[in-house]
Structures are given as C-alpha cells and as structure tokens.
Amino acid sequence: MSAPVSRRRRIKRIILWVCGGLAVLVLALAAAVVVPILTHQNAGSSGQTGVDEGSFPDEVSAVGADDRTRVLGVVGPTGEAVDLSQLSPGDELTVFGTGFNADNGIYLGFCKVPAAGEKPSPCLGGIPEGAESGELAEQENSGADGPALESQWITNNWAWRAFATGSYTDAENGAFTARLLVPELSMAGLDCRVEQCGIFTRNDHTASGDRVQDLYLRFDAAK
C-alpha cells in the first residue's frame, strides 16, 4: 500500500472520529437541555391566596407547597417607596425577591391576575428584545445593574444563561434584584387599566406548568 493512500485513510478515520465525537457532544448537550424539562415534577402552589381588592402592598410573602418562604417586593429606582395604585407607562421599578428556587429560572413581568391555580397570562411586554439572540446577556450591566426592561428573564441555568437578562444574585437563598420599566398598559389583548393585573414572577419555559413560584404584587394605573 502506498504511503499517500495510507495517509488518506488515516485522515478519513480521524475525520470520522472527530465527527462522531462532535455528534455525541451535541446529543449530550441536547439531552442536558431537554431531559430536565421533560422530567420536571411540578411542586404545587406558591401559597399566595391573592391580594385584597383595593389593596396594593409593596411586598408579599407566601409559603409554597415546597415549604419555601418566598418574598416579592418593589421599590423605586433609588430605593424609595412606590405607590402601586398609581403606575404610569415609563415608570421605573426595582423588584426584589428571596426564597425562590434558583434551580429554576423565572420570568418577571406585568400580567393579568389569573384564576386560582392558573398560569399568569396574558402578559405585557413579552420576552425582552435581545434576550433570544443573547445580546442582552452579553452586556456587563445586565440584570439588576442594567437598563430597566418591560420584562426580565432570570436564570442560573448554564444552558439558558446566554439568552437571559439576569441571574440570581444569591442562588443559595434564591435572591434576585431586577429593574422593570412599566410598559404601555394596554397591548396584546390585555388592558390593565380595566383588568386586574400584577407584577408577577413565574417559572420560565423549563417548568412552565409549575405554579410554585407564582407570586405577584397587584398594581393599578394612575388615574
């Protein structure tokens, strides 16, 4: 067998090994992303029973079915108190939480208050522009230190971190801080000037059917 032919065969084998290794790696990464979604066990209710009509607390807490005590609160951009009965488009808010399960990412935004046990929906603002492309996560000033956005996606999951807008600041204690910009209060079939709406946390798409992290602060539009 000539040396050139032998070299070509060795090169082909190396290429096949490399391609096979890459295929295994891609399958492993895909499994790491998909399997947790498919095998996630819903934990149950967040324990929040609602907010009294006409009441607009700037902090709520609830003990979920997973025995975690979650706290959700809001202040103004410089830490001042906020009147959630008088929100206007363009207002900036700083939202904070503790006690959340950092193994699961959360969406944070403005949604219609649903019937008990149902998913908060529809929501204003949608997924932040730039999140799906990864542009927001590339910014050093993302999350709590970044610009106020109409919605935030907070996760510590390595598979999704490049697409999210922020991460938990203290994963052990399930703590986060994020800046929100109040959007137009009527869009996408939802009018929060006439519907009861709230500033919500809810599990992201990796556990979208799990209601255990659904907490909200009721708000109303400025008259």
Side-chain angles (χ1 to χ4, degrees):
M1 182 182 297
S2 66
V5 172
S6 178
R7 280 199 301 271
R8 285 197 296 270
R9 288 183 175 177
R10 285 199 299 271
I11 292 171
K12 287 181 180 178
R13 285 198 295 269
I14 292 172
I15 292 174
L16 288 174
W17 290 338
V18 171
C19 291
L22 288 174
V24 170
L25 179 60
V26 169
L27 289 174
L29 290 173
V33 170
V34 174
V35 170
I37 297 175
L38 297 178
T39 59
H40 177 81
Q41 298 294 314
N42 292 345
S45 168
S46 71
Q48 185 176 11
T49 56
V51 177
D52 293 340
E53 185 73 24
S55 177
F56 301 92
D58 58 12
E59 184 174 306
V60 295
S61 65
V63 181
D66 58 356
D67 292 327
R68 286 177 174 270
T69 299
R70 293 175 174 83
V71 176
L72 179 66
V74 63
V75 294
T78 59
E80 72 276 18
V82 172
D83 184 355
L84 292 179
S85 70
Q86 296 290 317
L87 290 190
S88 299
D91 288 348
E92 292 190 19
L93 307 172
T94 298
V95 181
F96 60 87
T98 60
F100 286 75
N101 183 358
D103 290 338
N104 294 116
I106 56 172
Y107 293 137
L108 174 65
F110 303 84
C111 306
K112 178 181 177 180
V113 177
E118 294 185 4
K119 180 179 178 179
S121 179
C123 299
L124 303 171
I127 296 176
E129 184 179 354
E132 294 178 330
S133 65
E135 294 174 5
L136 286 174
E138 292 173 358
Q139 300 178 13
E140 293 183 1
N141 62 339
S142 61
D145 298 323
L149 303 170
E150 293 181 354
S151 60
Q152 296 270 8
W153 178 10
I154 297 166
T155 184
N156 284 19
N157 188 315
W158 64 268
W160 303 107
R161 184 65 194 91
F163 303 96
T165 59
S167 58
Y168 289 94
T169 54
D170 181 350
E172 183 177 355
N173 293 309
F176 69 87
T177 302
R179 297 177 62 200
L180 284 181
L181 182 70
V182 178
E184 291 297 325
L185 297 176
S186 178
M187 65 172 71
L190 173 62
D191 190 343
C192 287
R193 298 167 301 181
V194 296
E195 301 272 13
Q196 187 176 107
C197 294
I199 301 168
F200 273 88
T201 59
R202 56 189 174 100
N203 276 320
D204 67 13
H205 64 284
T206 63
S208 62
D210 193 343
R211 307 271 59 85
V212 76
Q213 303 212 101
D214 290 0
L215 254 63
Y216 76 96
L217 298 161
R218 188 170 177 268
F219 74 87
D220 202 354
K223 301 298 189 290

